[in-house]
């Protein structure tokens, strides 16, 4: 049987180059070899405050971006998490076998609790149990993610093993797949932190839908390190991050880019980088605009039905095993 991949994104804003190269770009190559299940995890998005109208729009835009980026809806299952109720139900069952101490170790929880001091809700804390349910419902073998999600996939493995030990072989124990090169793009305004959709300033990220003028502005404002050389080095996280983005959007090697800018300054480099990003994003934005609303509804309905069939079967097996 074909091995399965499951991966997802939260509709917490428009996805950025970090989400794209850290996760989505890997989905595109993996879809050839694996059976793909790709979700828009709208229940996860509720862990931070959401405006209903904005959330509705973000959900549809994210689904459109999956298609515009090149995910094949015939081959893959593309669906909204909240439309397959089994996710929430399995999440509860898994929450009941997950020690609080495991959840307390999660760095994303600690970071987000700091960032959203006024709304440290229980969902933010139990989020990894819902993510474990997302993955385990589909007998997933591989979970392609960026580095920030590695700890959550490891917890899903721990939960799967625990359930299997308690009730007998039920869940496939999944593995995270992380592309080392693109695992963690950094914020443009703060290279100490990762690029993030819900960063306080929009100058932190380049979203896939940003228009040319804004891209030029954001790149021009991007933080740089001391020194003037355009050289990749672990001691210079800001310029290294920009060089990595240049490499990803242009396909040129880091060495080639360093050579191209050997006797030039940050100004020239940033100008060229902005144009390369614009060239990369324009065709994707055009495909996005061309997606028809009815076509999108059909893809999501079809995805829902296919996901539901698999999820119902797995949840029934789980409920039988635990005595429900
Ligand atoms: N900066 C990043 N570099 C590489 N990969 C990244 N990912 C996120 N940020 C980077 C990967 O993108 C996928 C989808 O992420 P998500 O929507 O689940 O949310 P997240 O991981 O919490 O990412 P954000 O952008 O920081 O969103 P918010 O601000 O809503 O929390 C995942 O595979 C993730 O690893």
């Amino acid at each position: 049987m074909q091995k399965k991949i499951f991966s997802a994104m939260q509709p917490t804003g428009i996805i950025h180059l970090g989400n794209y190269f850290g996760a989505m770009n890997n989905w595109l190559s993996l879809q050839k070899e694996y059976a793909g299940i790709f979700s828009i995890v709208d229940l996860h998005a509720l862990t931070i405050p959401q405006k209903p109208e904005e959330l509705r729009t973000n959900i549809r835009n994210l689904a459109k971006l999956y298609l515009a980026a090149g995910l094949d809806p015939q081959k893959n299952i593309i669906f909204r998490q909240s439309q397959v109720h089994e996710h929430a139900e399995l999440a509860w069952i898994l929450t009941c076998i997950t020690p609080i101490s495991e959840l307390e170790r999660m760095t994303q929880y600690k970071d987000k609790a700091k960032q959203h001091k006024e709304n440290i809700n229980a969902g933010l804390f139990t989020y990894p149990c819902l993510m474990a349910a997302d993955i385990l419902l589909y007998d997933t073998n591989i979970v392609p993610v960026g580095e920030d999600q590695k700890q959550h996939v490891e917890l899903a493995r721990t939960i799967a093993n625990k359930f299997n030990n308690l009730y007998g072989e039920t869940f496939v124990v999944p593995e995270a797949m992380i592309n080392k090169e693109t695992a963690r793009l950094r914020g443009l305004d703060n290279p100490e932190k990762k690029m993030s959709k819900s960063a306080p300033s929009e100058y932190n990220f380049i979203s896939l839908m940003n228009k040319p003028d804004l891209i030029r502005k954001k790149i021009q404002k991007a933080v740089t390190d001391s020194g003037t050389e355009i050289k990749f080095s672990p001691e210079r996280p800001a310029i290294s991050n920009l060089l990595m983005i240049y490499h990803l959007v242009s396909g040129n090697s880091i060495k080639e880019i360093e050579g191209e800018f050997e006797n030039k300054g940050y100004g020239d480099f940033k100008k060229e980088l902005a144009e390369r990003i614009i060239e990369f994003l324009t065709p994707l934005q055009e495909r996005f605009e061309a997606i028809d609303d009815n076509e999108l509804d059909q893809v999501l309905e079809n995805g829902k039905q296919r996901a539901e069939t698999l999820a119902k079967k797995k949840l029934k097996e789980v409920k039988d095993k635990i005595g429900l």
Side-chain angles (χ1 to χ4, degrees), residues 21 24 33 36 48 61 81 104 234 240 270 295 298 305:
F21 286 110
M24 198 181 263
E33 200 184 325
I48 57 172
N61 283 347
Q81 180 191 34
E104 279 170 342
S240 300
K270 283 180 161 185
E295 177 194 340
Q298 272 173 21
Q305 285 175 16

Side-chain angles (χ1 to χ4, degrees), residues 228-230 257-266 268:
T228 52
E229 268 189 325
I230 314 293
I257 305 164
E258 286 174 343
E260 192 183 335
F261 291 97
E262 201 171 349
N263 294 313
K264 297 183 182 162
Y266 282 142
D268 289 329

Side-chain angles (χ1 to χ4, degrees), residues 10 12 16 19 112 146 148-149 185 194-198:
Q10 301 182 70
T12 38
H16 50 67
N19 302 130
K112 292 214 165 165
D148 61 318
Q149 292 294 341
L185 291 193
K194 69 164 193 155
M195 191 178 277
S196 180
K197 293 184 221 91
S198 53

Side-chain angles (χ1 to χ4, degrees), residues 272-298:
E272 197 60 35
L273 170 60
E275 297 315 311
R276 293 304 175 100
I277 296 172
I278 293 164
E279 269 169 34
F280 178 79
L281 289 181
T282 303
L284 189 141
Q285 293 178 358
E286 286 168 0
R287 288 195 296 275
F288 177 95
E289 297 302 342
I291 294 166
D292 173 76
D293 275 333
N294 292 333
E295 177 194 340
L296 184 69
D297 289 340
Q298 272 173 21

